[in-house]
């Protein structure tokens, strides 16, 4: 158990950040690999932000602590243990104070952590921010932060990962993925990843997606169709997992946070 007054290694979003690994090349024959490539920025960007916040520099820990009842409540709702919720709180405090120190993550701060810029337009980042912002009030609160990251935990239910991936593409929030929505998101993600494809390849991805997933042949993919498609292609979901979340308190030996809780309540070594 860490002692009060210890230091936390946290990275300023303005410090040099490690770039996420480049996505694999996009090739036409392997359709599942194509979808995996398109989902790759989802995991890479979030993973990079967490890794960056933990590992870049040593700063005096913020003395604000998370009330024990809040940590216990969030632990009971998620896969995280109480200590892991406290660890996530240290990350949240740094991220939520990078532009406006008000204990909330604003869209500018989210962009700053992921892309080193507060003004850069990015459809992917905006979409993920909107999904984290469950209350739809323009900011991410700590409970929303924890519950959203829970989806990326290695032990999160497959159904949660499938649903999150579906909602990324359901831009208009109609309960369906339409061809134009999918094209818009794929184009944005490919541009962000510097992956170049011809219009013919892009259209072939869309054609193959709807051929395989739209079994009702109504020109849109509903939740049931998406779920069955992903179940048939489970490798898609490996891009919805952040391995570091499995044991965030020990995955980074330099990450020392203040805690008053000895928490044997959960073990993620399953």
């Amino acid at each position: 158990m860490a002692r009060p007054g210890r230091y936390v290694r946290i990275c300023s979003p303005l410090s040099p950040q490690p770039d996420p690994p480049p996505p694999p090349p996009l090739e036409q024959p392997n359709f599942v690999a194509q979808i995996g490539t398109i989902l790759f920025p989802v995991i890479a960007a979030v993973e990079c932000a967490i890794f960056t916040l933990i590992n870049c520099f040593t700063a005096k820990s913020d003395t604000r602590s998370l009330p024990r009842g809040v940590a216990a409540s969030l632990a009971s709702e998620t896969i995280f243990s109480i200590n892991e919720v406290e660890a996530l709180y240290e990350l949240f405090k740094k991220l939520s104070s990078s532009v406006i120190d008000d204990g909330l993550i604003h869209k500018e701060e989210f962009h700053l952590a992921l892309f080193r810029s507060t003004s850069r337009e990015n459809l992917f980042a905006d979409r993920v921010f909107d999904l984290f912002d469950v209350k739809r009030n323009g900011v991410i609160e700590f409970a929303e932060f924890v519950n959203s990251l829970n989806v990326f935990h290695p032990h999160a239910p497959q159904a949660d990962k499938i649903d999150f991936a579906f909602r990324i593409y359901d831009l208009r929030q109609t309960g369906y993925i339409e061809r134009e929505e999918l094209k818009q998101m794929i184009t944005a993600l490919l541009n962000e990843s510097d992956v170049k494809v011809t219009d013919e390849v892009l259209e072939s991805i869309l054609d193959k997606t709807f051929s395989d997933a739209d079994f009702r042949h109504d020109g849109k993919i509903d939740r049931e169709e998406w779920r069955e498609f992903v179940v048939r292609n489970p490798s898609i979901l490996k891009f919805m997992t952040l391995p570091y979340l499995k044991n965030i308190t020990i995955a980074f030996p330099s990450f020392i946070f203040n805690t008053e809780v000895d928490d044997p309540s959960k073990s993620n070594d399953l």
Side-chain angles (χ1 to χ4, degrees):
M1 183 172 66
R3 297 191 301 273
R6 299 294 295 274
Y7 285 76
V8 182
R9 284 179 58 87
I10 300 177
C11 179
S12 164
L14 300 177
S15 301
Q17 301 186 19
D19 293 326
L26 190 67
E27 298 179 353
Q28 188 168 353
N30 189 336
F31 173 62
V32 173
Q34 289 172 346
I35 294 296
T37 299
I38 293 162
L39 286 175
F40 187 87
V42 176
I43 181 70
V46 178
E47 185 176 34
C48 181
I50 291 177
F51 187 88
T52 296
L53 286 169
I54 293 175
N55 283 291
C56 286
F57 75 87
T58 303
K60 188 66 164 41
S61 176
D62 190 325
T63 57
R64 292 175 295 174
S65 61
L66 186 67
R68 185 178 302 184
V70 174
S73 176
L74 288 171
S76 70
E77 299 169 1
T78 65
I79 296 171
F80 299 113
S81 68
I82 294 175
N83 283 348
E84 288 167 340
V85 171
E86 290 181 322
L88 290 174
Y89 186 61
E90 296 297 329
L91 298 180
F92 181 85
K93 285 190 297 185
K94 195 64 182 178
L95 185 56
S96 64
S97 63
S98 59
V99 177
I100 304 172
D101 191 3
D102 61 356
L104 302 166
I105 298 176
H106 295 254
K107 186 169 288 188
E108 296 83 356
E109 292 167 323
F110 198 73
H111 276 249
L112 186 61
L114 294 181
F115 305 112
R116 313 177 205 178
S117 171
T118 60
S119 59
R120 178 176 174 181
E121 293 186 4
N122 184 281
L123 178 63
F124 155 69
D126 288 345
R127 191 73 194 110
V128 174
F129 181 91
D130 290 343
L131 293 180
F132 274 51
D133 176 19
V134 177
K135 293 182 179 179
R136 299 185 183 181
N137 58 358
V139 293
I140 300 173
E141 301 174 5
F142 180 61
E144 294 173 321
F145 183 71
V146 174
N147 281 292
S148 296
L149 284 179
N150 188 62
V151 176
F152 292 90
H153 194 285
H155 296 323
Q158 184 186 62
D160 292 350
K161 295 178 182 292
I162 292 174
D163 180 67
F164 193 95
F166 178 88
R167 289 186 291 141
I168 286 176
Y169 293 112
D170 182 16
L171 298 177
R172 299 182 183 89
Q173 303 174 48
T174 60
Y176 300 97
I177 299 174
E178 299 177 4
R179 186 183 180 96
E180 188 57 35
E181 289 177 312
L182 185 60
K183 182 176 183 178
Q184 186 178 354
M185 181 58 74
I186 289 175
T187 300
L189 290 174
L190 292 177
N191 288 340
E192 185 61 39
S193 304
D194 293 324
V195 175
K196 307 298 182 184
V197 300
T198 65
D199 290 341
E200 290 76 12
V201 170
L202 178 57
E203 291 299 325
S204 75
I205 293 174
L206 296 170
D207 290 342
K208 184 62 174 172
T209 300
F210 278 83
S211 173
D212 287 3
D214 179 23
F215 60 78
R216 302 187 204 280
H217 306 295
D218 56 3
K220 54 190 178 183
I221 302 169
D222 62 28
R223 290 179 183 272
E224 181 184 354
E225 290 171 324
W226 175 258
R227 181 172 60 253
E228 292 189 15
F229 171 70
V230 174
V231 168
R232 294 196 307 269
N233 300 278
S235 61
I236 292 175
L237 291 186
K238 73 178 182 179
F239 297 95
M240 289 295 300
T241 296
L242 287 165
Y244 299 120
L245 293 177
K246 184 177 180 181
N247 286 299
I248 194 168
T249 59
I250 62 175
F252 302 93
S254 60
F255 184 32
I256 306 170
F257 63 99
N258 296 320
T259 181
E260 298 178 355
V261 178
D262 240 342
D263 177 25
S265 60
K266 292 185 183 180
S267 172
N268 289 322
D269 296 326
L270 300 177

